[in-house]
Amino acid sequence: MKEAGSSPLWNLIPEDVRNLTEILNSEGYEAYAVGGCVRDAVLGKEPSDYDIATSALPEDTMRILKAKGVKTFATGLKHGTVTALSGIRPVEITTYRVDGEYRDNRHPENVRFTASLKEDMARRDFTVNAMALGREGIKDYFGGISDLEKGIIRAVGDQEKRFKEDGLRIMRALRFSSTYGFSLDEGTSEAVLSCRKLLENISRERIYSEFTKLICGRGAGGILRKYREVIFEIIPELEICSGFDQRSSFHLYDVYEHMVRAVENVRPYPVLRMAALFHDIGKPECFVMGEDGEGHFYGHAEKSEETARRILRRLKADGETVRKVSLLVKNHHRQVEDMDKAVRRALAKLGEEMFFPLLELKHADGIATGKPAESEGRHWEAVKKRAEKILSAKECISKDRLAVGGRDLMAEGIPEGKIMGQILHALFEEVLDGELKNEREELLERGLMLYDEYKNCRTDLRK
């Protein structure tokens, strides 16, 4: 066992959490901050939540804290967990335990309480999560500090057993590796690959949650390459992309490598990273060899959008993520010239929120070919600046910004109904193209002209 005095680390734990451990200590029980908060404290990161492990039984924990005025809730008594509301956050306090048999590759059938902190730490997933921190310092039975220093994710004890107990640990291992930029030690890496079929037993929601964090990690590209067999278990549609030669003078890489490189060249924003990973996923289904000796992928953006939507729905992604990723994938092949007309139209189509992510995706797509044009970066930067200028000038890029509306047209004698909708649409199109100023009098005059054309010719005014 490695134990080091670490008062400075203990002081990084918030006072309300420290107070909970000290209340239990004062009654003769052990109590330590454990898990991720200890890992992050050692790494100098601010933890997002805090957990405590104690030698006190759940009923004793509740009795002792209640006597000190701390509200507690029996949130998981079967597994020894009590939630305490102290200070500004809920804190889970769990009795030291040894897990029983895992029959569903996810949860233990039962648990046995123990008085041994070491036994409790031995059941945890990775060494970096199997450390306890108290006033006297860190208790590190399995080399977690050393693994943090070396940048290694290593399962505690028998690696394969750890993953067979809980298949989600496969995704957690990859997520930690990606997030922290760590590598998996050899035994853990082999176990991740050999146990990957266990992911079939894990809920899609939990897999999606871990995958979203994984793909936004700084090491996402390396994980997507090295552990592609695991990724294919949860997204089998990607497998055909691996090794698929694009037969194109514009691309150095196969479809999968191209998409991974696109992931590496966009910000770690879930919607952007997902869109980058899926933007060309439909290419293999659309491949045709042209007479020019080049591979062509007609309609691949639409096919990729269809596939991405299906994958995200299967993984139980929220509707807004599905909508945004689909929009980016479908439009990733859209050309946006450095012209006011083209930029206004793109802004109208995508909205301000998604226009700039599309530019970033398109830039990353070009870089990921391995043969980007020298002028490409300058082009997207110019388009971005043009868009910012249009937005700062509050130019009309949506119908609700038109200087006239239906009531204005009715006041001029244009009847409500289909023709009014067509006139408003035509006015908006002409404003987008810069053919018409977004000014009330000019719009009304043009609206009346369009109405006269309709009355005389019964022409459909939609472009």
Side-chain angles (χ1 to χ4, degrees):
M1 179 185 79
K2 181 176 181 178
E3 182 171 345
S6 54
S7 295
L9 278 182
W10 182 234
N11 291 331
L12 293 178
I13 301 298
E15 184 178 5
D16 61 301
V17 180
R18 297 200 308 269
N19 286 343
L20 291 172
T21 69
E22 289 166 3
I23 290 172
L24 292 168
N25 292 160
S26 69
E27 295 294 321
Y29 294 101
E30 293 179 5
Y32 296 91
V34 296
C37 66
V38 180
R39 177 196 68 231
D40 289 345
V42 173
L43 290 172
K45 298 177 179 290
E46 184 176 351
S48 57
D49 54 29
Y50 297 86
D51 296 298
I52 292 173
T54 180
S55 59
L57 294 173
E59 55 268 28
D60 292 325
T61 298
M62 296 182 74
R63 172 180 54 79
I64 292 167
L65 294 180
K66 183 178 179 181
K68 296 294 185 178
V70 179
K71 291 184 178 180
T72 60
F73 301 89
T75 50
L77 287 184
K78 179 181 176 182
H79 295 102
T81 300
V82 170
T83 298
L85 291 181
S86 175
I88 62 173
R89 78 198 88 239
V91 179
E92 287 193 352
I93 304 175
T94 303
T95 302
Y96 298 162
R97 73 189 200 201
V98 176
D99 292 340
E101 185 179 0
Y102 286 76
R103 293 181 180 175
D104 62 356
N105 303 121
R106 184 71 183 94
H107 303 99
E109 290 292 305
N110 52 66
V111 301
R112 172 176 61 82
F113 298 138
T114 176
S116 168
L117 173 62
K118 183 176 181 180
E119 285 189 320
D120 184 80
M121 294 294 105
R123 70 177 177 82
R124 296 176 182 262
D125 52 7
F126 309 111
T127 61
V128 297
N129 295 331
M131 297 181 289
L133 175 60
R135 178 178 292 279
E136 71 274 25
I138 288 183
K139 292 188 179 292
D140 177 15
Y141 299 96
F142 303 102
I145 291 177
S146 175
D147 285 345
L148 285 176
E149 291 171 348
K150 295 174 183 176
I152 290 175
I153 300 298
R154 179 164 56 92
V156 175
D158 185 331
Q159 289 103 330
E160 194 165 295
K161 180 182 178 183
R162 289 285 87 82
F163 295 121
K164 286 181 178 178
E165 287 173 342
D166 182 356
L168 186 63
R169 287 172 175 167
I170 294 169
M171 294 302 299
R172 283 171 58 81
L174 299 187
R175 186 253 289 188
F176 283 128
S177 178
S178 175
T179 301
Y180 292 106
F182 288 5
S183 60
L184 272 59
D185 89 303
E186 185 177 353
T188 302
S189 179
E190 291 174 357
V192 160
L193 290 168
S194 66
C195 294
R196 64 185 184 276
K197 294 292 183 182
L198 295 174
L199 290 170
E200 296 174 359
N201 303 326
I202 307 303
S203 74
R204 300 300 95 179
E205 293 91 342
R206 296 305 301 271
I207 286 177
Y208 176 70
S209 176
E210 294 294 336
F211 183 69
T212 301
K213 296 170 187 174
L214 182 164
I215 203 172
C216 289
R218 54 181 168 171
I223 297 298
L224 292 171
R225 292 185 184 93
K226 185 171 182 179
Y227 298 98
R228 64 184 67 195
E229 294 95 333
V230 179
I231 304 303
F232 299 162
E233 282 296 322
I234 61 174
I235 309 175
E237 293 89 344
L238 284 169
E239 187 167 6
I240 193 175
C241 299
S242 180
F244 194 97
D245 188 345
Q246 302 197 59
R247 309 285 184 88
S248 170
S249 59
F250 299 101
H251 284 271
L252 282 182
Y253 311 110
D254 66 43
V255 176
Y256 186 72
E257 176 62 20
H258 168 71
M259 294 190 294
V260 170
R261 286 174 178 264
V263 169
E264 292 177 316
N265 281 285
V266 294
R267 287 173 295 125
Y269 165 45
V271 164
L272 254 179
R273 289 277 173 105
M274 292 285 184
L277 183 61
F278 298 143
H279 78 278
D280 277 351
I281 198 169
K283 271 190 168 182
E285 293 183 69
C286 300
F287 175 78
V288 294
M289 180 60 75
E291 293 181 0
D292 56 0
E294 289 277 313
H296 297 280
F297 303 92
Y298 304 113
H300 82 273
E302 292 74 15
K303 176 59 69 175
S304 297
E305 185 268 341
E306 175 188 317
T307 304
R309 186 182 293 273
R310 182 176 69 248
I311 292 167
L312 291 170
R313 285 176 172 168
R314 185 177 70 238
L315 292 175
K316 310 298 184 183
D318 62 279
E320 192 65 1
T321 294
V322 175
R323 182 187 71 81
K324 290 178 177 178
V325 172
S326 299
L327 184 68
L328 290 174
V329 171
K330 186 175 182 178
N331 286 278
H332 83 272
H333 219 231
R334 180 191 183 104
Q335 297 302 313
V336 184
E337 297 177 58
D338 183 19
M339 298 172 57
D340 285 349
K341 172 181 175 179
V343 173
R344 278 195 297 264
R345 283 199 165 276
L347 282 166
K349 173 74 175 178
L350 296 157
E352 180 179 350
E353 181 185 16
M354 299 310 295
F355 175 82
F356 295 102
L358 179 67
L359 295 190
E360 189 171 346
L361 176 60
K362 290 183 68 63
H363 191 195
D365 189 15
I367 294 171
T369 63
K371 296 184 175 183
E374 289 184 12
S375 61
E376 189 166 351
R378 295 194 298 273
H379 172 77
W380 296 122
E381 187 59 32
V383 170
K384 178 182 176 182
K385 288 181 178 178
R386 189 177 292 272
E388 290 169 344
K389 182 179 179 181
I390 287 170
L391 291 170
S392 65
K394 299 188 182 304
E395 293 189 29
C396 179
I397 57 169
S398 61
K399 287 183 181 179
D400 59 6
R401 290 190 185 179
L402 272 175
V404 298
R407 290 183 180 180
D408 300 298
L409 296 183
M410 288 176 65
E412 297 295 321
I414 299 174
E416 188 176 12
K418 180 179 179 181
I419 180 57
M420 180 182 289
Q422 288 190 8
I423 290 173
L424 286 171
H425 179 75
L427 292 175
F428 178 57
E429 291 287 309
E430 290 184 21
V431 169
L432 282 181
D433 288 346
E435 298 171 2
L436 193 65
K437 291 182 180 179
N438 187 33
E439 296 177 357
R440 175 183 169 81
E441 295 305 318
E442 190 168 338
L443 290 170
L444 289 176
E445 181 180 348
R446 179 58 177 155
L448 288 170
M449 289 177 60
L450 290 169
Y451 183 51
D452 286 340
E453 289 179 18
Y454 170 79
K455 287 191 298 182
N456 293 331
C457 305
R458 296 287 171 176
T459 301
D460 191 328
L461 299 176
R462 291 172 297 179
K463 290 188 177 182

